[in-house]
Amino acid sequence: MIRKHTMASQVSDILVDLVPLSEGFELVQYDPMIHHEIVPQIYSRCFNLRAWGELWDKFEGFYSEGVFLIYHKSLKSYVGFIVSYIAEDTPYITSLGVTEDFRGRRLGTYLVQRVAQHYAKMGYKQLWVDINPHYEGFERRCVSMGFSVIREEIR
């Protein structure tokens, strides 16, 4: 049995206590011409899973402006990412990851808040996220940012 939550929050609640990006890191806006192979690789490193195919950004509905990366300047390596999209006039976070060595530094929170800022500028008032059961830490972080469960799927 797999349990998946869909959670929602008011963008204004997510942005209450803004987390700064730690020194030595840089936020990078996704560019398909430069980064189309980077996100599949970092996804694989974050979750110890097989990498997505390099053309992952070609699927229908892909929204490159909703994808952000965190770059570690001295390591010259990407250490975090967030992928979001808009469906039925609702912005969703579909995937977020931070490599194991950099967890616990609030980089994931920073990414969620950065996406919330992006959608706030577009006039959206809510942000949704799907949480899979093996991401309990991320679910707790979402609750602390104002997200609450609005739908639960059991498969």
Side-chain angles (χ1 to χ4, degrees), residues 6-15 66 82-86 89-94 96 109 111-120 124-130 138 142 145-148 150:
T6 299
M7 302 178 83
S9 178
Q10 297 297 313
V11 169
S12 59
D13 291 342
I14 298 167
L15 300 177
I82 191 165
V83 178
S84 66
Y85 66 99
I86 300 169
D89 204 34
T90 302
Y92 280 85
I93 295 171
T94 187
L96 177 138
T109 300
L111 286 166
V112 171
Q113 289 177 333
R114 180 59 187 92
V115 163
Q117 288 174 328
H118 171 76
Y119 289 114
Y124 289 99
K125 304 289 184 213
Q126 273 197 333
L127 180 61
W128 291 25
V129 62
D130 288 327
F138 181 55
C142 285
M145 287 188 282
F147 285 87
S148 58
I150 58 170

Side-chain angles (χ1 to χ4, degrees), residues 61-72:
F62 180 75
Y63 176 59
S64 63
E65 292 179 24
V67 180
F68 297 90
L69 308 166
I70 292 184
Y71 184 74
H72 191 285

Side-chain angles (χ1 to χ4, degrees), residues 29-148:
Q29 174 71 49
Y30 179 82
D31 179 340
M33 300 301 288
I34 299 169
H35 302 113
H36 73 275
E37 293 180 16
I38 299 296
V39 175
Q41 291 169 8
I42 193 170
Y43 179 88
S44 177
R45 289 196 330 254
C46 289
F47 301 114
N48 297 317
L49 298 171
R50 182 179 61 82
W52 293 331
E54 71 176 56
L55 299 178
W56 71 278
D57 56 357
K58 302 295 184 217
F59 71 87
E60 186 178 341
F62 180 75
Y63 176 59
S64 63
E65 292 179 24
V67 180
F68 297 90
L69 308 166
I70 292 184
Y71 184 74
H72 191 285
K73 294 176 187 178
S74 64
L75 291 179
K76 297 181 179 166
S77 178
Y78 293 93
V79 298
F81 74 97
I82 191 165
V83 178
S84 66
Y85 66 99
I86 300 169
E88 299 177 14
D89 204 34
T90 302
Y92 280 85
I93 295 171
T94 187
S95 190
L96 177 138
V98 174
T99 58
E100 192 169 350
D101 293 346
F102 293 95
R103 292 182 187 150
R105 298 181 188 204
R106 305 199 71 197
L107 295 174
T109 300
Y110 175 82
L111 286 166
V112 171
Q113 289 177 333
R114 180 59 187 92
V115 163
Q117 288 174 328
H118 171 76
Y119 289 114
K121 288 178 186 173
M122 296 172 66
Y124 289 99
K125 304 289 184 213
Q126 273 197 333
L127 180 61
W128 291 25
V129 62
D130 288 327
I131 307 281
N132 290 316
H134 52 282
Y135 300 129
E136 289 178 22
F138 181 55
E139 183 174 358
R140 282 191 302 275
R141 175 64 64 194
C142 285
V143 168
S144 74
M145 287 188 282
F147 285 87
S148 58

